């Protein structure tokens, strides 16, 4: 490791090492730049490609080459649209010379030698030979650049590593980034590039602090080569110069490099196992990444299995490499592993069958690049770039897939959320489901993609579009941070989040909330105006919380409801841990069936390990269920531990409820001039019911509805009413099925009753 104080411009010895003892000061040198969106800082996913060759003769540089397939016309208003910039791989720099494009349509062009010859200063020559110059082509869609390639001395092959904490095993929560490039000439490998923004100091005590390891994506492997970094004074950024990083590869190392079995790793004090990692792939490719876990399955699967895959696109050729491990049942060889076409939150058909090299126990496997090369058709290629493809691994016990990963572009960090009505505050019963993935870039930009289906009613587009990212914890509601753009599907009850319509620039506060996992996605529907689907946005390498266990009441306990209505009923459980350290909320559920298809109480109690209600509420529940006084029924209850995206349910217990005489001090309405409240009619109801109340004298009165946790969910009436009887209509379209309490208050008097909504 070196301390970065100034650039080493003594390049003569460097030239001698690279080009041999026959090097002459004015010898002609050929350099090449492989153009790809993945070489941009930060990386972008573009179908465009190109190649540039530069010839240096003394101080004269001649550039020629071509490009094609830009997503939009060249941004000619940006000094012609193409330039030579100073900057190492992994960093952006200023323009040295504008390049002249000979257009071949709006999205393609050539660089002709006659129009692109420049005289460099000696310092610019030094910078060029240190790998400090790159070609950048700007388009209207990507004003910062859609294609980029580092100018490198002519070699047999070029490779690249985009560095991210998300590529670590396990993932590192960091905004740091970087990029390395590799030149292979014979058995000689030259490495250059940069990293920046480390969350903690570079740790040179770990064998120099950075290395090339042998291992596929998704697997950790041993050190093959120690890299030499020149680090900044604060130890948070660094540069790799080719002059300090020239290595002779063994035959095994060279084969591993070409097989995508080498990765770069940078260690820090906070992340001894590595804060930044990047798989070595060909520099000309556009690369994608899929992080495999049970959380990404639809519906999610509670498993400790994990893995990763890197997907390279070379024109119409797809190359897949990576691995998985820790399956909880054997790999299902009859079904296998595939690329499917669908966005996050939805299942889709098989497009490509992947070849897997399995271990002896069939619980882990590797995708070897040489066995996973495919030709993409136009629809498959478009779906891949649109984030509408995923990798799926099927096991014997989970035939539909035990682990899955949405294929996303290179990013500094990935986040994911599973959408469910259970995650609402308070939970609602809805068969709808969905998911969303987020790619966070080192410049503070993010891309959201995914979808949902099965809403009970149309998306409430009148509520600022119907979908939003909010800032809030797992057990609380919060303010809208970012409106999300929804592309509606059939009957407006399904929808997708197109990546091209959901690119956002985050404020510092929003970025902090995202990385502290204090954001959630909320989808509103006509029936559930406050939200039918919700999910906490968590790091994509998420695992479900540990499974909770009920402690009381005992299984098959008999409870006699007799006496004062205010007598407390309590269910308790032990607190559980979360592998990822996420905040946990608990949901206590009471159902009339063992499969919990008819849940009558669905209460989020936050971090509390107790649910409390009273005999009066339970007595009303039994009445609504048709249990007469003196009768009994068996109910089922359980507790779900959730991080807001994934959950684990306890083993259910039964309780035998006997309905005795529950006393109350509520007054009857025999005299309509008395203060009182009647039972709503009809009851149970869906979705409207009438409520009648009486006042002894003219006064201000409020009639409000609460859930079983005592949280206000609606105000039916609030104003001045005359003495006598009044009837109001209550529309519960925005509420979920369950038991509710309605309360009348007037002249310092209060009375309550219960009602049941069944949808």
């Amino acid at each position: 490791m070196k301390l970065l104080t100034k650039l080493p411009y003594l390049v003569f010895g460097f030239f001698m090492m690279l080009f041999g003892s026959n090097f002459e000061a004015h010898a002609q040198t050929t350099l090449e730049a492989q153009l790809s969106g993945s070489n941009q800082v930060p990386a972008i996913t573009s179908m465009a490609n190109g190649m540039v060759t530069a010839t240096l003769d003394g101080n004269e540089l001649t550039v020629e080459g071509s490009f094609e397939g830009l997503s939009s016309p060249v941004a000619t208003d940006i000094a012609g649209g193409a330039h030579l910039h100073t900057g190492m791989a992994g960093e952006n720099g200023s323009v040295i010379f504008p390049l002249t494009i000979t257009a071949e349509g709006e999205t393609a062009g050539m660089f002709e030698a006659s129009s692109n010859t420049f005289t460099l200063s000696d310092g610019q020559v030094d910078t060029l030979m240190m790998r400090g110059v790159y070609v950048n082509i700007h388009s209207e869609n990507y004003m910062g650049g859609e294609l980029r390639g580092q100018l490198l001395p002519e070699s047999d092959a070029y490779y690249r590593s985009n560095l991210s904490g998300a590529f670590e095993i396990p993932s590192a929560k960091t905004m740091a980034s970087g990029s390395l490039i590799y030149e292979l000439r014979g058995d000689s490998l030259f490495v250059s590039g940069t990293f920046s923004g480390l969350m903690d100091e570079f740790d040179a005590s770990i064998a120099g602090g950075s290395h090339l390891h042998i291992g596929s994506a998704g697997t950790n492997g041993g050190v093959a080569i120690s890299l030499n970094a020149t680090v900044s004074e604060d130890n948070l950024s660094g540069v790799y110069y080719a002059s300090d990083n020239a290595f002779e590869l063994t035959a095994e190392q060279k084969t591993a490099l070409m097989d995508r079995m080498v990765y770069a790793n940078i260690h820090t004090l906070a992340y001894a196992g590595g804060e930044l990692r990047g798989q070595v792939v060909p520099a000309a490719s556009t690369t994608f990444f899929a992080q495999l876990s049970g959380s990404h399955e639809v519906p999610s699967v509670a498993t400790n299995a994990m893995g990763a895959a890197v997907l390279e696109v070379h024109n119409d050729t797809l190359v897949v490499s990576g691995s998985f491990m820790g399956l909880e049942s054997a790999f299902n060889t009859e079904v296998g592993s595939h690329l499917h076409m669908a966005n996050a939150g939805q299942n889709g058909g098989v497009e490509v069958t992947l070849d897997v090299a399995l271990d002896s126990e069939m619980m882990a496997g590797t995708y070897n690049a040489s066995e996973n090369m495919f030709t993409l058709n136009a629809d498959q290629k478009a779906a891949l770039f649109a984030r509408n493809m995923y990798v799926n691994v099927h096991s014997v016990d989970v035939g539909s897939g035990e682990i899955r990963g949405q294929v996303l572009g290179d990013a500094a960090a990935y986040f994911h959320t599973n959408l469910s009505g259970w995650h609402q505050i308070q939970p609602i019963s809805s068969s709808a489901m969905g998911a969303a993935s987020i790619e966070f870039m080192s410049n503070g930009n993010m891309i959201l993609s995914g979808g949902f289906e099965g809403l009970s009613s149309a998306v409430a587009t009148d509520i600022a579009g119907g979908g939003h990212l909010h800032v809030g914890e797992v057990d609380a509601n919060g303010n809208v941070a970012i409106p999300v753009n929804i592309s509606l599907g059939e009957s407006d009850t399904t929808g997708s989040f197109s990546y091209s319509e959901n690119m956002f620039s985050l404020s510092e506060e929003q970025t902090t909330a995202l990385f502290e996992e204090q954001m959630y996605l909320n989808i509103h529907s006509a029936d559930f105006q406050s939200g039918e689907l919700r999910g906490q946005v968590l790091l994509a390498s998420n695992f479900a919380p540990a499974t909770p266990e009920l402690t009381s009441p005992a299984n098959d306990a008999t409870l006699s409801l007799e006496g004062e209505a205010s007598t407390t009923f309590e269910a308790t459980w032990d607190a559980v841990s979360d592998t990822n350290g996420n905040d946990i909320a608990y949901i206590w559920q009471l159902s009339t069936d063992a499969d919990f298809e008819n849940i009558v109480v669905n209460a989020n109690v936050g971090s509390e390990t107790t649910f409390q209600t009273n005999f009066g509420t339970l007595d009303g529940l039994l009445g609504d269920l048709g249990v007469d006084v003196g009768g009994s029924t068996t109910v089922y209850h359980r507790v779900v531990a959730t991080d807001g995206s994934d959950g684990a349910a306890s083993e259910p217990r039964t309780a035998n409820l006997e309905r005795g005489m529950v006393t109350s001090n509520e007054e009857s309405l025999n005299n309509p001039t008395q203060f009182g409240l009647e039972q709503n009619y009809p009851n149970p109801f869906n979705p409207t019911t009438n409520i009648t109340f009486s006042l002894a004298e003219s006064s201000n009165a409020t009639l409000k509805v609460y859930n079983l946790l005592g949280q206000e969910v609606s105000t039916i009436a609030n104003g001045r009413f005359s003495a006598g009887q009044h009837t109001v209509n209550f529309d519960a379209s925005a509420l979920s099925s369950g038991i509710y309490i309605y309360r009348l208050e007037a002249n310092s008097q209060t009375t309550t009753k219960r009602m049941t909504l069944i949808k």
Side-chain angles (χ1 to χ4, degrees), residues 64 86 89 96 163 314 336 345 377 527-529 567 616 631 707 732:
E64 53 188 329
T86 58
I96 308 176
L163 305 177
H314 306 260
N377 61 41
D527 284 352
F528 296 97
Q529 295 278 299
T567 304
N707 60 30

Side-chain angles (χ1 to χ4, degrees), residues 582-649:
N582 295 321
D583 293 335
I584 294 176
Y586 298 98
I587 301 171
W588 187 77
Q589 298 176 328
L590 183 70
S591 176
T592 60
D593 66 299
D595 294 327
F596 286 79
E597 293 180 351
N598 184 32
I599 297 173
V600 292
V601 178
N602 204 11
N604 185 319
V605 297
S607 60
E608 299 294 327
T609 56
T610 301
F611 169 81
Q612 289 185 340
T613 187
N614 56 51
F615 277 16
T617 300
L618 292 179
D619 181 67
L621 172 63
L622 293 182
D624 293 335
L625 293 175
V627 179
D628 297 328
V629 175
S632 64
T633 189
T634 298
V635 293
Y636 304 81
H637 66 108
R638 67 182 180 184
V639 62
V640 178
T642 176
D643 56 18
S645 179
D646 294 289

Side-chain angles (χ1 to χ4, degrees), residues 36 38 43-46 160 162 167 216-218 260 279-292 307-323 337-341 351-354 367-369 372-374 376 380-381 383-385 387-392 404-410 414:
S36 168
S38 291
I44 67 164
T45 53
S46 170
R160 172 193 70 247
N162 286 342
F167 303 151
S216 61
R260 284 71 163 177
Q279 209 71 21
V280 181
V281 298
S285 64
T286 297
T287 48
F288 297 83
F289 183 72
Q291 198 163 43
L292 308 179
V310 174
L311 294 87
E312 311 159 29
V313 177
H314 306 260
N315 293 319
D316 294 329
T317 299
L318 175 70
V319 180
V320 182
S321 59
S323 63
S337 178
H338 316 91
L339 275 175
H340 296 248
M341 188 183 294
E351 293 295 323
V352 174
T353 299
L354 300 174
Y367 303 109
N368 292 314
N372 287 283
M373 297 184 178
F374 312 98
L376 297 175
Q380 290 170 336
K381 187 173 181 179
L384 185 68
F385 278 81
R387 279 66 169 176
N388 287 338
M389 294 193 89
Y390 63 90
V391 177
N392 204 17
R404 162 178 168 161
Q406 204 69 22
V407 180
L408 306 172
D410 281 349
Y414 301 96

Side-chain angles (χ1 to χ4, degrees), residues 317-502:
T317 299
L318 175 70
V319 180
V320 182
S321 59
S323 63
F324 58 86
M325 57 186 173
L327 294 180
E328 298 194 354
S329 64
F331 180 82
N332 192 332
T333 55
E334 293 184 2
V335 182
S337 178
H338 316 91
L339 275 175
H340 296 248
M341 188 183 294
N343 56 27
Q346 297 174 331
N347 292 317
V350 172
E351 293 295 323
V352 174
T353 299
L354 300 174
D355 183 89
V356 182
L358 295 169
D359 71 350
S360 59
E361 296 181 351
M362 299 180 68
M363 301 290 194
T366 301
Y367 303 109
N368 292 314
S370 59
E371 302 299 323
N372 287 283
M373 297 184 178
F374 312 98
T375 299
L376 297 175
N377 61 41
D379 290 342
Q380 290 170 336
K381 187 173 181 179
L384 185 68
F385 278 81
R387 279 66 169 176
N388 287 338
M389 294 193 89
Y390 63 90
V391 177
N392 204 17
V393 180
H394 305 263
S395 65
V396 171
D397 286 353
V398 191
S400 59
E402 183 172 333
I403 55 175
R404 162 178 168 161
Q406 204 69 22
V407 180
L408 306 172
D410 281 349
Y414 301 96
F415 297 85
H416 181 82
T417 185
N418 290 315
L419 303 175
S420 168
W422 283 11
H423 300 152
Q424 291 291 342
I425 311 298
Q426 287 295 316
I428 66 168
S429 295
S430 171
S431 60
M433 62 172 55
S437 297
I438 287 178
E439 305 159 50
F440 178 84
M441 312 303 171
S442 56
N443 61 357
N445 292 338
M446 61 164 264
I447 298 172
L448 183 144
S449 57
F452 58 89
E453 58 189 3
L455 293 180
S456 62
S457 57
V459 174
T461 54
D462 56 321
I463 304 177
H468 317 90
L469 282 169
H470 296 246
V471 175
E473 299 181 357
V474 65
D475 59 351
N477 292 318
N479 294 327
V480 172
I482 300 171
V484 172
N485 296 307
I486 301 173
S487 299
L488 294 175
E490 184 178 356
S491 302
D492 293 346
T493 58
T494 66
S496 61
F497 316 118
S498 168
Y499 89 101
S500 60
E501 300 296 325
N502 287 282

